[in-house]
Amino acid sequence: MLRFICIVIFLIAYLILTIPVLIVEWIIGKFNPYARDISSLRIVQWGFKVILKITGVRTTVIGEENIPDEAVLFVGNHRSYFDILLTYSRCRRLTGYIAKKEMDRYLTLTSWMRRVYCLFLDRKDPKEGLKTILQAIDYIKNGISICVFPEGTRNEGEELSMLPFKDGAFKISTKTGCPIVPISLNNTAEIFEKHMPRIKKTHVVIEYGKPIYPDQLDKDTKRHIGDYIENIIRETIHKNADLV
């Protein structure tokens, strides 16, 4: 319980104390947008790393060398709020995450999310959802990676289970030709979700798969690319189950 309280205190302090920083970042962006983007990335990553340090989580990372030095579509399974912190804190390039629309309401938090190119998906409005995908495609074309959890929500089922992947997000890759990098996450729900509100010191495994270029797939596999990536991640989390 102490870890949970410490994280809440840190998060509140971070969101309040970084309000002036947002203003400074806005000024920097007027003269050097790229410097602002990199600065914002590192500031958010620092906050995430502090929170992960408080949790005491131990992380085994496999295959990080598989990530190419270009804009990619990261695709992962999703069981915990901490999936975002664990993966975003490791991003070397500018990367925007696709979050649910309900997150677009928390003032300073939302401001930081937009500053680091996060997009807010309205799952109830297909027209607005399409706009989000088109914006993500535009980001990829401008060299900004995108990360999405195609299950659509956190999977609260048994460990090693997965919800079916929704196909819409894969248009980001098929329309741009950018590589898809699968992210397989093991044991992340053990940090918080399995015993809320306690934060538990635990061990998680993150594996980055080899990049998959949609244009190099055969026609049938490309048509069912969501199923193809889903199977890769499912096989990987089963393979890594004994490591946690």
Side-chain angles (χ1 to χ4, degrees):
M1 192 65 181
L2 179 60
R3 289 191 179 96
F4 177 77
I5 294 171
C6 289
I7 288 173
V8 170
I9 292 172
F10 172 80
L11 186 57
I12 292 172
Y14 179 92
L15 293 176
I16 293 173
L17 295 176
T18 57
I19 291 174
V21 179
L22 280 168
I23 296 172
V24 173
E25 292 283 275
W26 178 79
I27 295 171
I28 293 172
K30 291 294 183 181
F31 301 95
N32 191 331
Y34 181 74
R36 175 206 59 200
D37 288 347
I38 294 298
S39 176
S40 296
L41 171 67
R42 301 308 176 209
I43 290 169
V44 172
Q45 287 181 320
W46 174 81
F48 283 178
K49 289 176 181 178
V50 171
I51 292 174
L52 292 172
K53 188 74 172 179
I54 295 171
T55 67
V57 65
R58 182 167 62 90
T59 308
T60 295
V61 181
I62 303 169
E64 202 164 16
E65 69 280 1
N66 288 327
I67 304 172
D69 188 20
E70 60 181 307
V72 307
L73 176 65
F74 291 107
V75 174
N77 59 309
H78 190 27
R79 293 184 55 79
S80 172
Y81 293 116
F82 283 91
D83 295 341
I84 298 169
L85 281 71
L86 287 161
T87 54
Y88 193 79
S89 60
R90 309 194 69 86
C91 291
R92 296 192 295 264
R93 298 173 57 93
L94 294 174
T95 304
Y97 278 55
I98 296 182
K100 59 184 179 181
K101 182 69 174 177
E102 290 78 3
M103 294 294 294
D104 188 15
R105 63 174 71 168
Y106 297 114
L107 300 176
T108 310
L109 176 61
T110 299
S111 297
W112 275 116
M113 291 176 73
R114 290 190 181 279
R115 186 62 57 82
V116 293
Y117 294 98
C118 285
L119 296 168
F120 299 93
L121 179 65
D122 188 341
R123 294 173 292 184
K124 299 178 181 178
D125 188 335
K127 185 178 293 186
E128 290 300 312
L130 178 58
K131 288 181 181 179
T132 301
I133 297 300
L134 292 174
Q135 181 64 68
I137 289 172
D138 188 58
Y139 282 171
I140 289 283
K141 290 178 179 178
N142 284 281
I144 300 164
S145 295
I146 294 294
C147 183
V148 64
F149 300 107
E151 289 168 287
T153 187
R154 284 182 301 111
N155 174 19
E156 299 178 3
E158 295 296 322
E159 184 69 28
L160 304 183
S161 69
M162 289 173 58
L163 300 174
F165 277 11
K166 300 182 185 301
D167 292 331
F170 293 95
K171 289 183 172 63
I172 299 168
S173 178
T174 57
K175 295 295 185 182
T176 61
C178 78
I180 299 170
V181 176
I183 306 178
S184 305
L185 298 151
N186 284 74
N187 211 38
T188 58
E190 192 63 37
I191 301 172
F192 180 56
E193 280 75 10
K194 286 188 177 180
H195 34 69
M196 293 190 288
R198 290 177 56 245
I199 300 287
K200 183 179 177 182
K201 185 176 181 179
T202 190
H203 175 222
V204 304
V205 178
I206 305 172
E207 179 163 348
Y208 295 89
K210 293 183 178 180
I212 298 159
Y213 292 83
D215 291 342
Q216 296 178 4
L217 300 174
D218 62 71
K219 186 179 296 184
D220 187 61
T221 302
K222 186 175 181 180
R223 186 183 301 116
H224 301 98
I225 193 167
D227 293 338
Y228 179 66
I229 304 298
E230 180 184 338
N231 286 332
I232 289 174
I233 293 176
R234 179 179 289 105
E235 290 173 3
T236 304
I237 62 174
H238 277 82
K239 172 180 71 73
N240 291 339
D242 292 337
L243 298 180
V244 298

